[in-house]
Amino acid sequence: MKVLLLGPPGSGKSTQAQRLSRALSYFQVSTGNLIRAHIQSDTELGRSIKGYNDRGELVPDDVILKIILPNLEPAGRWILDGFPRNEAQARELQAALEKRDISLSRVIALEAPDEDLTARIKGRRQSLATGWTYHVEYDPPPEKRGDLDTGPFVRREDDTPEAVRRQLELYHQEVEPLKAHYEKQGILTAIDARKPIQEVTEDILQALSPARAG
Ligand code: ADP
Ligand code: AMP
């Protein structure tokens, strides 16, 4: 199983990827998490991309490809969230998959209106210990520290109104048109991401079930 999750910022890509990877034992490849790990570790690469991340701009394609492609194991089961983010990345992904004799099982497009997304991002918290995503109201971090996730639970550097506006703009310009490409291949399923988190997970599991059985 090789699955892509597409969707605007705040639609729940990382929330769903982390739940699905846990439920199905998939490997979660999250471009955003990989980028933030480089920034937090203050690597040379991290320093070179921090500005793009904090402004809500796309990190240059050559950098993102170098980070992402080694993770796409031919034999593995993975769920990729946050990639591709433009046509050039989609072409590079296609070429890399063909070279490894891999085909995508399904592309899930999470859909929600911009108004819902900004409210979600406002309450988003991320665990510095696990990278796991929470929401102060809709998916609160575990209260008992030392439990599953010790935190701390912080706001992301790019969860500012300006960066979110730019991410949304880029989503509509660059990512949304990619859906037609996967639709033509017959592997796209659109999911209503306005529903509660657990319902969205169930809808995705339903969409993946024929591919998992096959
Ligand atoms: P993305 O990875 O697409 O940017 P996230 O997974 O980070 O989105 O989700 C954004 C915020 O919205 C997080 O705080 C998350 O807990 C919350 N969230 C995700 N899905 C839902 C949902 N279906 N309903 C309510 N809140 C959600
Ligand atoms: P995300 O965690 O998916 O919201 O991504 C956070 C930030 O990481 C984005 O605003 C970009 O700066 C960067 N990023 C994530 N995925 C990509 C990608 N595929 N191409 C370019 N930049 C990306």
Side-chain angles (χ1 to χ4, degrees):
M1 288 292 292
K2 326 279 186 207
V3 178
L4 284 196
L5 280 188
L6 297 181
S11 58
K13 297 182 296 297
S14 46
T15 301
Q16 295 302 332
Q18 67 204 12
R19 283 161 192 257
L20 293 165
S21 57
R22 190 178 265 186
L24 303 170
S25 306
Y26 287 9
F27 181 51
Q28 180 190 358
V29 186
S30 160
T31 46
N33 282 355
L34 290 168
I35 282 170
R36 283 186 289 279
H38 273 284
I39 295 174
Q40 272 152 24
S41 316
D42 200 26
T43 62
E44 197 181 328
L45 191 131
R47 285 193 292 277
S48 74
I49 58 180
K50 180 169 169 32
Y52 295 100
N53 176 78
D54 293 0
R55 292 193 304 275
E57 295 289 348
L58 292 182
V59 165
D61 290 344
D62 57 330
V63 178
I64 203 86
L65 288 164
K66 207 161 58 187
I67 295 178
I68 218 73
L69 294 183
N71 284 287
L72 306 182
E73 286 284 329
R77 296 189 295 180
W78 40 255
I79 181 154
L80 180 51
D81 97 67
F83 183 91
R85 286 273 237 274
N86 60 30
E87 212 185 297
Q89 291 182 8
R91 269 201 311 271
E92 291 286 349
L93 175 64
Q94 182 86 20
L97 295 179
E98 278 169 14
K99 213 155 102 192
R100 294 166 203 204
D101 212 12
I102 303 176
S103 52
L104 290 173
S105 319
R106 191 128 291 270
V107 178
I108 302 290
L110 296 176
E111 298 184 337
D114 290 7
E115 311 81 80
D116 296 25
L117 304 172
T118 38
R120 284 190 191 178
I121 291 172
K122 234 172 155 177
R124 172 159 61 189
R125 297 292 181 272
Q126 190 159 41
S127 166
L128 286 184
T130 62
W132 202 269
T133 300
Y134 300 92
H135 189 281
V136 286
E137 191 180 338
Y138 309 132
D139 185 18
E143 277 171 25
K144 272 192 245 144
R145 306 254 163 156
D147 245 17
L148 246 162
D149 191 341
T150 55
F153 308 101
V154 299
R155 294 199 70 174
R156 280 173 34 177
E157 301 269 358
D158 58 338
D159 281 353
T160 61
E162 301 76 30
V164 171
R165 215 172 302 128
R166 183 61 185 145
Q167 287 170 348
L168 275 171
E169 209 171 74
L170 283 169
Y171 170 77
H172 291 303
Q173 268 170 28
E174 308 275 349
V175 184
E176 222 166 11
L178 301 179
K179 289 200 272 183
H181 168 72
Y182 295 114
E183 177 125 57
K184 230 185 280 163
Q185 291 183 12
I187 54 171
L188 185 86
T189 304
I191 299 275
D192 181 356
R194 290 171 305 178
K195 295 184 187 176
I197 293 174
Q198 184 56 30
E199 285 181 38
V200 176
T201 308
E202 281 158 20
D203 288 350
I204 298 174
L205 285 170
Q206 179 83 30
L208 296 182
S209 55
R212 281 163 61 209

